[in-house]
Short mmCIF file of all heavy atoms in Angstrom, two decimals:
data_model
loop_
_atom_site.label_atom_id
_atom_site.label_comp_id
_atom_site.label_asym_id
_atom_site.label_seq_id
_atom_site.Cartn_x
_atom_site.Cartn_y
_atom_site.Cartn_z
N THR F 154 33.54 -31.35 28.15
CA THR F 154 34.71 -30.45 27.99
C THR F 154 35.88 -31.26 27.33
O THR F 154 36.13 -32.37 27.70
CB THR F 154 35.15 -29.93 29.31
OG1 THR F 154 34.07 -29.21 29.88
CG2 THR F 154 36.34 -29.02 29.17
N TRP F 194 32.82 -38.14 35.39
CA TRP F 194 33.36 -36.83 35.71
C TRP F 194 34.22 -36.94 36.98
O TRP F 194 33.71 -37.34 38.02
CB TRP F 194 32.21 -35.79 35.94
CG TRP F 194 32.79 -34.42 36.08
CD1 TRP F 194 33.05 -33.76 37.21
CD2 TRP F 194 33.11 -33.53 35.02
NE1 TRP F 194 33.56 -32.50 36.96
CE2 TRP F 194 33.62 -32.34 35.61
CE3 TRP F 194 33.08 -33.62 33.62
CZ2 TRP F 194 34.05 -31.27 34.87
CZ3 TRP F 194 33.54 -32.54 32.90
CH2 TRP F 194 34.01 -31.36 33.50
N PRO F 195 35.51 -36.52 36.92
CA PRO F 195 36.32 -36.50 38.16
C PRO F 195 35.73 -35.61 39.20
O PRO F 195 35.41 -34.45 38.92
CB PRO F 195 37.66 -35.95 37.61
CG PRO F 195 37.64 -36.15 36.13
CD PRO F 195 36.22 -36.02 35.74
N ARG F 197 36.89 -34.04 41.72
CA ARG F 197 37.64 -32.83 42.16
C ARG F 197 37.89 -31.88 41.03
O ARG F 197 38.61 -30.89 41.22
CB ARG F 197 38.96 -33.27 42.80
CG ARG F 197 38.78 -34.15 44.02
CD ARG F 197 40.01 -34.30 44.84
NE ARG F 197 39.85 -35.28 45.91
CZ ARG F 197 39.28 -34.98 47.11
NH1 ARG F 197 38.82 -33.76 47.30
NH2 ARG F 197 39.13 -35.94 48.02
N THR F 198 37.29 -32.09 39.88
CA THR F 198 37.40 -31.13 38.76
C THR F 198 36.15 -30.27 38.71
O THR F 198 35.07 -30.77 38.54
CB THR F 198 37.56 -31.91 37.43
OG1 THR F 198 38.74 -32.71 37.48
CG2 THR F 198 37.66 -30.90 36.27
N PRO F 199 36.30 -28.96 38.90
CA PRO F 199 35.11 -28.10 38.86
C PRO F 199 34.44 -28.18 37.49
O PRO F 199 35.08 -28.26 36.44
CB PRO F 199 35.68 -26.71 39.12
CG PRO F 199 37.03 -26.91 39.71
CD PRO F 199 37.54 -28.19 39.14
N ALA F 200 33.11 -28.14 37.48
CA ALA F 200 32.36 -28.10 36.23
C ALA F 200 32.56 -26.77 35.58
O ALA F 200 32.56 -25.72 36.23
CB ALA F 200 30.89 -28.35 36.48
N PRO F 201 32.76 -26.73 34.25
CA PRO F 201 32.92 -25.46 33.57
C PRO F 201 31.63 -24.67 33.62
O PRO F 201 30.53 -25.19 33.58
CB PRO F 201 33.26 -25.88 32.12
CG PRO F 201 32.67 -27.25 32.00
CD PRO F 201 32.80 -27.86 33.34
N SER F 202 31.80 -23.35 33.69
CA SER F 202 30.65 -22.48 33.75
C SER F 202 31.02 -21.13 33.10
O SER F 202 32.20 -20.76 33.12
CB SER F 202 30.18 -22.23 35.19
OG SER F 202 31.18 -21.63 35.94
N PRO F 203 30.05 -20.44 32.55
CA PRO F 203 30.34 -19.15 31.92
C PRO F 203 30.86 -18.17 32.97
O PRO F 203 30.49 -18.22 34.12
CB PRO F 203 28.99 -18.69 31.34
CG PRO F 203 28.13 -19.92 31.28
CD PRO F 203 28.62 -20.84 32.38
#
Side-chain angles (χ1 to χ4, degrees):
T154 301
W194 187 265
R197 300 192 185 279
T198 300
S202 61

